[in-house]
Amino acid sequence: MTLIIVSPLSHIAEMAVRHRACEMISLMAANQDFHRPAVIQAERHLKLGVNDISFAGTGKLIAPQDSHVRAIIDFARGWDRSAPLLIHCWFGVSRSPAAALIAALAVHPEQEDAALVQRLRQASAHATPNARLVDIADRLLERDGRLRAAVKSIGRGAEFKEAAPFLLPLNAENAAS
């Protein structure tokens, strides 16, 4: 089964080792330092310096841009899928769930947006995908508003004290396995 692992920063080493991930996407503030798990090779680690905001023009904070979403799409399309893809942000609630949706649609564009987003909600009650990443991806992946509408339909995720990692099946076939 091909999976995307969505995790808060605090669990990336555990998730990488447990699921034998060897590729990772990190969505963290621009100068946020953290240790890349040793099982992830530097050349298969995409680091994006982006804050969890939904609008531009907020001082020193970096809002998601087209270039960030294009990088996620390109990296996902280069993922060999022999092992799960690990995607993380600080809490694993907003940026990384949005990136997981983007990656899943980049490699399986034929899937229904609503079904994918429902799998996300089933996997994580607390996920609230970043609206700006979703909006940009909807346009760049030519989803014609379907991704945006699907994410809006699940609403805000549940409140949490500590976010937990979760697994998102890449497509409906993998969800049934």
Side-chain angles (χ1 to χ4, degrees):
M1 179 188 321
T2 305
L3 296 168
I4 296 174
I5 306 159
V6 179
S7 178
L9 176 63
S10 60
H11 291 280
I12 61 173
E14 172 194 352
M15 293 294 103
V17 170
R18 179 187 297 171
H19 297 286
R20 297 188 172 115
C22 48
E23 298 175 84
M24 182 168 77
I25 299 174
S26 301
L27 297 102
M28 300 289 290
N31 293 309
Q32 184 74 45
D33 289 327
F34 61 94
H35 178 74
R36 175 179 39 81
V39 297
I40 306 291
Q41 297 301 313
E43 62 274 4
R44 293 308 304 153
H45 179 202
L46 175 63
K47 288 175 67 176
L48 298 174
V50 61
N51 293 95
D52 186 18
I53 57 177
S54 293
F55 50 90
T58 55
K60 294 181 181 180
L61 299 179
I62 299 170
Q65 302 294 321
D66 284 20
S67 60
H68 298 120
V69 175
R70 280 192 194 101
I72 294 166
I73 292 167
D74 292 345
F75 190 88
R77 288 179 176 160
W79 166 38
D80 72 8
R81 291 174 252 156
S82 62
L85 173 61
L86 175 58
I87 303 178
H88 81 91
C89 59
W90 186 260
F91 285 119
V93 172
S94 183
R95 288 169 287 182
S96 52
L101 294 173
I102 295 164
L105 288 169
V107 297
H108 282 291
E110 75 286 351
Q111 65 184 308
E112 293 293 327
D113 302 67
L116 172 62
V117 172
Q118 284 304 316
R119 286 196 311 277
L120 177 82
R121 175 56 73 227
Q122 289 169 357
S124 172
H126 62 264
T128 303
N130 178 282
R132 187 171 173 101
L133 285 168
V134 168
D135 287 347
I136 295 168
D138 191 279
R139 180 173 42 81
L140 294 180
L141 291 168
E142 299 176 345
R143 304 313 288 183
D144 299 321
R146 294 185 309 273
L147 178 59
R148 185 180 312 117
V151 169
K152 186 175 181 180
S153 76
I154 64 167
R156 180 182 163 91
E159 293 296 320
F160 65 95
K161 290 185 180 176
E162 182 178 343
F166 63 91
L167 306 177
L168 178 66
L170 189 57
N171 60 25
E173 288 177 13
N174 289 327
S177 302

